[in-house]
Amino acid sequence: MLVQLKNMKLYLMLLIDASLFAIAFVSAYLLRFEFELEAVYIGQIKSILPFLLPTKLIVFFFLGLYKGMWRYSSIEDSWRLGQASFLSMLLLITFVYYFLHPTSFPRSVFLMDAVLTFLLTGGIRMGIRSYYSATTTSKGVSAFSLPRIGSMEKDPVTKRVLIIGAGNSGEKILREISENPQLKYTVACFLDDDPGKRGRALHGVPVLGPVDTLPEV
């Protein structure tokens, strides 16, 4: 944890997420009341935000959402985002119930806030990952920007390769190649013995046939 606290990028991530938390909470109120907030609801927002922001940051921190690099965000990270968003909602409801006047708070705001928190924080992470993937693609080394498979001309920069197996392992290999320009490979196709996969594509890379067609391919 001490090493993580010394990383300056951590504080940038905290700042971004804190801003998104505030936007999500205010947006939940605006959507609930059709963008016409009375003074009482503006007061509620001001009274809850000082508790909401540090609480959500702490929950997100201890669920490990600031350990990884956002450019490599995964489905597992999305699950943790969902858990953190709804755990924060429960803590927020508990705070309102014990320290404020729960009857005066619109209950739907809490759920809307959790959903918006998940969408905004997940969206920024996926956006950053997409940006880096697009940057890699623009350098001409990604499997997501292959030349036409029928034309087997040699690429002076990368070496054309094929992957045996179009399952989970093959997908991971393709993704590793596409996201690492240092590998200098371009995936031309997959081969797989599963007849249900033939003629289909994985991230735009076609499955051309079974393994015994390797010499021909």
Side-chain angles (χ1 to χ4, degrees):
M1 182 179 295
L2 291 177
V3 174
Q4 191 176 0
L5 292 174
K6 293 179 181 179
N7 185 357
M8 295 305 298
K9 291 184 179 179
L10 168 65
Y11 300 99
L12 177 60
M13 291 190 288
L14 293 174
L15 178 61
I16 292 173
D17 270 358
S19 301
L20 295 177
F21 296 156
I23 292 172
F25 189 63
V26 174
S27 298
Y29 264 90
L30 290 173
L31 291 172
R32 170 63 178 80
F33 296 104
E34 300 180 347
F35 295 90
E36 293 183 3
L37 292 181
E38 299 177 3
V40 61
Y41 298 122
I42 295 176
Q44 289 178 359
I45 293 173
K46 292 180 178 179
S47 64
I48 293 178
L49 275 179
F51 169 81
L52 179 146
L53 296 181
T55 298
K56 285 189 176 183
L57 289 174
I58 291 172
V59 170
F60 275 54
F61 183 88
F62 281 101
L63 285 181
L65 287 166
Y66 301 119
K67 286 184 178 179
M69 293 180 286
W70 287 1
R71 63 182 295 181
Y72 297 119
S73 294
S74 63
I75 294 177
E76 182 181 351
D77 293 318
S78 297
W79 279 109
R80 287 205 298 268
L81 281 173
Q83 294 170 357
S85 298
F86 284 91
L87 176 57
S88 300
M89 178 189 71
L90 296 177
L91 293 174
L92 178 61
I93 292 174
T94 302
F95 170 78
V96 170
Y97 182 82
Y98 281 104
F99 296 102
L100 301 175
H101 301 288
T103 56
S104 65
F105 284 84
R107 298 176 182 177
S108 59
V109 166
F110 301 131
L111 180 59
M112 293 171 67
D113 170 62
V115 173
L116 289 172
T117 295
F118 173 73
L119 293 177
L120 290 175
T121 55
I124 192 68
R125 286 159 172 78
M126 290 300 104
I128 291 174
R129 173 170 177 168
S130 298
Y131 168 78
Y132 279 101
S133 296
T135 301
T136 301
T137 301
S138 68
K139 295 177 181 178
V141 296
S142 173
F144 300 94
S145 60
L146 294 175
R148 186 168 58 88
I149 297 303
S151 61
M152 300 298 289
E153 63 271 8
K154 295 181 179 179
D155 190 316
V157 178
T158 61
K159 181 178 181 179
R160 293 170 64 79
V161 299
L162 61 82
I163 297 175
I164 303 296
N168 291 333
S169 298
E171 191 272 340
K172 290 178 181 178
I173 294 172
L174 170 61
R175 191 166 54 194
E176 181 70 20
I177 291 173
S178 69
E179 294 178 352
N180 286 276
Q182 301 89 341
L183 296 178
K184 302 296 182 183
Y185 291 137
T186 296
V187 179
C189 66
F190 286 95
L191 296 181
D192 197 295
D193 288 332
D194 184 352
K197 295 177 181 177
R198 295 171 200 167
R200 305 182 70 179
L202 191 61
H203 297 310
V205 180
V207 182
L208 294 187
V211 176
D212 60 15
T213 62
L214 177 60
E216 176 187 353
V217 173

